[in-house]
Amino acid sequence: MKKISLIVPCYNEENCLLAFDEKLSEVVGQMGDYEFEVFYINDGSKDHTLEIMRQICKKRDYACYLSFSRNFGKEAAMYAGFSNADGDYVAVMDADLQDPPELLPDMVKILESGEYDSVATRRIDRAGEPPIRSFFARMFYRLINKISDADIVDGARDYRLMKREMADVIVAMGEQNRFSKGIFGWIGFRTYWYAFENVKRAAGETKWSFWKLLKYSLNGIVSFSQVPLGIASWMGMACTGISLAAIVFIVIRKLIFGDPVQGWASNMCVMIFIGGVQLFCLGVIGQYVGKTYAETKKRPHYIVSECSKGQIKKVG
Ligand code: UDP
Ligand code: MG
């Protein structure tokens, strides 16, 4: 009997979890030919998520929970799930029912057809999302696909079912600055894209503010592309070229017209411009140095303070 491991990251999901559990148990019931193992990851929730998880795990023998010592973020929660899941197939699924559990039987069927190593989901519309957020999201996907080798599909969700081989590679990629959409695309494998219409959150609110998303997308760019470093050096070269031309111009002008004390304003403009470019480039380099610093410390991605099962990797 094949085993399916599901990873469900949860942060302040007290309003969604019971509905999610109901829906999921229906799907598990329909798929009697498979063994299930469901990891609920409590990512430092400040509401009653953990108590609800305890209840669910008492009721369902296929479910277990890991509770983090604080909020480590969805990426860390997914990593904890991948590190502990040992099913033949592994999937990540949000707790807010935006990743419909009822797609699972179809996804398993596609995977078992043998042609694909993973079935990824993509929403075909962005209904219910603020237009400004959709606009920036589209721009981000266009940009990151141009400047990196991570193949990221617009509208891709983290909800994907994959074979053991692919899950093993994801665990082996232990980088600190995790950007799963990039990692999934970068490692390759044959992926089937399953399109579905956007579903609104069952209850509660999204955990992603505009600024959090912006920071996350910049992290994605720094993790998967060195183009910003290239831009910094091209800008440096362009400024050097312009200043060489300006020197020639100023020297010739002095030789012809002498040196009347003039040009304070233009001098200041040039200084401020060059100063700005230098700070910008330093900032870009700083981003990469900062990420390198975080990588060298090799701190764990997550710390588990409580769990419902014996053999769990508590730090990883
Ligand atoms: N999540 C998490 N840790 C966080 C933020 C979110 O585990 O710090 C979980 C959240 O509980 C949900 C999933 O990640 O199951 C997706 O979050 P959300 O629905 O807020 O994101 P959106 O669907 O709006 O992109
Ligand atoms: Mg959601």
Side-chain angles (χ1 to χ4, degrees):
M1 199 193 246
K2 289 239 155 102
K3 183 171 172 184
I4 301 177
S5 302
L6 298 181
I7 301 163
V8 188
C10 305
Y11 176 55
N12 295 346
E13 298 289 4
E14 62 179 5
N15 297 320
C16 292
L17 259 185
L18 286 173
F20 175 84
D21 166 62
E22 283 301 320
K23 247 283 138 46
L24 184 64
S25 77
E26 276 170 32
V27 174
V28 171
Q30 284 164 22
M31 298 177 74
D33 302 340
Y34 296 90
E35 186 190 341
F36 274 85
E37 158 189 67
V38 180
F39 290 93
Y40 287 98
I41 320 277
N42 174 33
D43 183 13
S45 300
K46 294 182 181 71
D47 60 3
H48 298 102
T49 301
L50 181 57
E51 281 104 276
I52 298 173
M53 278 183 186
R54 288 191 195 118
Q55 279 172 32
I56 294 175
C57 294
K58 259 193 210 137
K59 202 159 59 170
R60 318 275 186 207
D61 50 7
Y62 55 76
C64 65
Y65 69 84
L66 327 181
S67 183
F68 286 177
S69 58
R70 66 167 170 87
N71 177 249
F72 281 90
K74 184 184 176 188
E75 289 290 343
M78 290 196 285
Y79 190 71
F82 277 113
S83 307
N84 285 292
D86 64 354
D88 301 287
Y89 306 138
V90 183
V92 180
M93 212 185 255
D94 285 0
D96 57 3
L97 291 171
Q98 281 194 298
D99 295 338
E102 60 270 23
L103 302 183
L104 209 55
D106 267 0
M107 290 162 74
V108 171
K109 231 181 257 161
I110 296 169
L111 209 57
E112 298 210 319
S113 73
E115 246 180 272
Y116 298 97
D117 302 303
S118 89
V119 182
T121 59
R122 177 174 85 79
R123 45 186 186 168
I124 39 178
D125 59 354
R126 289 177 172 272
E129 196 181 68
I132 181 107
R133 192 164 147 174
S134 305
F135 171 75
F136 279 108
R138 289 220 173 84
M139 290 236 304
F140 167 71
Y141 285 116
R142 229 181 274 164
L143 179 70
I144 196 157
N145 278 317
K146 273 219 175 94
I147 64 174
S148 76
D149 356 316
D151 181 17
I152 304 177
V153 172
D154 185 4
R157 297 197 54 88
D158 290 331
Y159 183 24
R160 70 162 76 202
L161 182 75
M162 63 194 77
K163 288 190 177 158
R164 180 77 254 148
E165 294 80 358
M166 193 165 163
D168 285 342
V169 177
I170 289 168
V171 178
M173 290 190 55
E175 57 199 74
Q176 299 279 324
N177 297 291
R178 297 187 77 76
F179 181 67
S180 284
K181 288 191 174 80
I183 293 177
F184 294 153
W186 188 86
I187 60 178
F189 288 94
R190 297 163 306 169
T191 300
Y192 179 90
W193 284 97
Y194 193 113
F196 71 100
E197 271 174 32
N198 194 27
V199 186
K200 278 197 189 149
R201 226 175 197 284
E205 277 186 7
T206 175
K207 311 296 176 306
W208 295 91
S209 67
F210 182 78
W211 292 111
K212 241 176 140 181
L213 268 182
L214 186 70
K215 222 174 117 189
Y216 184 60
S217 41
L218 286 179
N219 184 37
I221 291 177
V222 174
S223 293
F224 280 93
S225 171
Q226 292 182 15
V227 169
L229 282 176
I231 293 176
S233 36
W234 281 109
M235 273 171 69
M237 271 192 251
C239 282
T240 314
I242 295 170
S243 58
L244 280 179
I247 289 169
V248 172
F249 171 73
I250 289 165
V251 169
I252 293 176
R253 197 176 64 168
K254 182 185 158 55
L255 292 178
I256 298 174
F257 297 109
D259 189 17
V261 182
Q262 249 182 17
W264 184 86
S266 54
N267 230 324
M268 283 311 282
C269 290
V270 171
M271 274 169 62
I272 291 169
F273 174 70
I274 302 285
V277 170
Q278 279 180 339
L279 280 180
F280 174 80
C281 295
L282 258 182
V284 171
I285 297 166
Q287 286 290 325
Y288 285 87
V289 174
K291 301 281 179 219
T292 315
Y293 177 55
E295 295 292 341
T296 53
K297 282 193 281 192
K298 290 204 172 12
R299 287 197 178 150
H301 301 85
Y302 66 89
I303 298 167
V304 172
S305 59
E306 181 186 327
C307 59
S308 65
K309 213 171 133 181
Q311 326 83 325
I312 288 281
K313 272 188 216 141
K314 296 213 166 101
V315 180

